[in-house]
Amino acid sequence: MGAHLNAYTSREQTVFYAKCLSKDVPKAVEDNVPLMVANTLIGAWDRSQGGGANNASKLAAAAAEDNLCHSFQSFNTCYKDTGLWGIYFVCDPLKCEDMVFNLQNEWMRLCTMVTDSEVDRAKNLLKTNMLLQLDGTTPICEDIGRQMLCYNRRIPLHELEKRIDNVNAQNVRDVAMKYIFDRCPAIAAVGPIENLPDYMRIRSSMYWVRV
């Protein structure tokens, strides 16, 4: 799936990246946990956070050090028949190209070079975030609804934790190769988008050629 939608306005640059997981539907559901870990590896960041270049997320460190964007948020939404995996970010008009470049480099690194130590950190963070979100009846009901849409049942926490623990760096590289590497992204951009790279240029950066 690939698409490109731009809208020019006088507002600040907002870019929305999405990957549609529609190929091999049963396997896509099985791949959801490694994709959750990959999503956590990219993470989220905004200017109000501390850490700067010492952020664990390499994209967050680059964004803080080079002032690439105001904020970004990686996402993974899974249903039983399809899903979305990608990132949303807000940046200054003339920083859009730099942000896209760093983002795609990080995606390609997920496909080829992510390490076990990075994956272990992401797994611990993912489990922590999952437990922190279940702090009331409303988020618990939302979690039940999401899992019913994705798995047709509520997965007990101990089972989901075991699934996360079973993920390793090779699993993350495999699913990233399957759904990200050399795939056509769907892109929507709103704002002063003259600095946004052309779609064909973005598409050509969805893979690395190495000797």
Side-chain angles (χ1 to χ4, degrees), residues 99-118:
M99 181 61 186
V100 171
F101 173 80
N102 281 271
L103 167 62
Q104 291 188 285
N105 273 350
E106 185 63 10
W107 279 0
M108 294 303 98
R109 200 181 67 82
L110 276 184
C111 298
T112 57
M113 297 187 296
V114 68
T115 64
D116 284 313
S117 60
E118 290 177 300

Side-chain angles (χ1 to χ4, degrees), residues 173-184:
R173 288 193 293 266
D174 289 343
V175 296
M177 275 288 185
K178 181 176 180 180
Y179 296 116
I180 303 173
F181 195 87
D182 201 17
R183 301 295 182 183
C184 297

Side-chain angles (χ1 to χ4, degrees), residues 114-139:
V114 68
T115 64
D116 284 313
S117 60
E118 290 177 300
V119 171
D120 288 341
R121 179 194 61 81
K123 290 192 297 184
N124 291 332
L125 181 58
L126 175 59
K127 289 185 287 187
T128 301
N129 289 339
M130 287 173 51
L131 293 174
L132 287 175
Q133 289 172 2
L134 303 178
D135 60 349
T137 56
T138 300

